[in-house]
């Protein structure tokens, strides 16, 4: 019984830490410079760049609407007028945060999504970015 209580206490403590630890916006509200369209996977993250066929503000506004329609997602920093936004999406059960930064660089929409804790996201970030890009339709040029 003591072992169960200890495991339960550790689980609750871990969940509290994951949900309450502060987010360093200077660490997450950044994007690598991208010059060509394409997709790039990395451990714990995904980077996508698409040429845009509409004004940057229109594309970013559409991304913002789509991002905020994603369950458990909120805007952490930035705005359409600033030209860059960082969103946080939390997993359903444990509340693990993923950070997704979006900006237009030249004629490219760049979306960089990555996990905060751990080494593997099991493809969650790639899937989220793919869903967001799919809803943009004619605002971006498919690869």
């Amino acid at each position: 019984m003591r072992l169960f209580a200890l495991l339960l206490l550790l689980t609750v403590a871990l969940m509290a830490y994951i949900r309450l630890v502060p987010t360093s916006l200077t660490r997450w509200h950044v994007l690598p410079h991208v010059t060509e369209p394409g997709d790039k996977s990395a451990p714990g993250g995904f980077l996508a760049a698409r040429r845009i066929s509409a004004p940057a503000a229109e594309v970013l506004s559409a991304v913002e609407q789509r991002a905020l329609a994603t369950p458990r997602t909120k805007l952490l920093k930035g705005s359409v007028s600033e030209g860059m936004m960082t969103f946080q999406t939390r997993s359903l059960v444990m509340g693990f945060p993923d950070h997704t930064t979006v900006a237009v660089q030249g004629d490219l929409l760049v979306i960089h999504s990555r996990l905060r804790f751990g080494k593997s996201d099991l493809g969650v970030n790639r899937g989220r970015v793919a869903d967001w890009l799919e809803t943009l339709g004619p605002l971006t040029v498919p690869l």
Side-chain angles (χ1 to χ4, degrees), residues 1-140:
M1 190 64 173
R2 284 185 181 181
L3 180 60
F4 176 75
L6 178 62
L7 289 174
L8 181 62
L9 180 64
L10 288 173
T11 301
V12 169
L14 177 63
M15 288 178 75
Y17 175 77
I18 289 168
R19 290 183 181 272
L20 299 175
V21 67
T23 297
S24 170
L25 294 176
T26 56
R27 177 178 177 197
W28 296 104
H29 190 62
V30 295
L31 268 178
H33 182 70
V34 178
T35 58
E36 293 295 322
D39 295 342
K40 182 178 179 185
S41 291
F46 184 72
L47 177 71
R50 299 290 187 277
R51 295 216 187 276
I52 58 175
S53 58
E58 185 179 334
V59 173
L60 289 174
S61 180
V63 172
E64 179 183 38
Q65 289 176 15
R66 177 59 181 99
L68 294 175
T70 302
R72 300 171 308 283
T73 299
K74 66 180 180 179
L75 178 65
L76 288 181
K77 185 172 177 146
S79 67
V80 170
S81 63
E82 289 176 31
M84 186 164 77
M85 298 171 286
T86 297
F87 301 92
Q88 181 182 73
T89 304
R90 289 192 174 269
S91 65
L92 181 62
V93 176
M94 290 293 289
F96 287 109
D98 290 336
H99 297 93
T100 306
T101 303
V102 179
V104 171
Q105 296 177 355
D107 67 343
L108 294 175
L109 170 65
V110 180
I111 304 177
H112 188 206
S113 190
R114 59 259 188 233
L115 56 77
R116 166 98 190 256
F117 297 107
K119 294 185 181 189
S120 174
D121 66 354
L122 304 173
V124 170
N125 285 297
R126 175 187 280 269
R128 181 181 315 107
V129 171
D131 286 347
W132 290 8
L133 287 169
E134 185 178 314
T135 62
L136 294 179
L139 298 177
T140 62

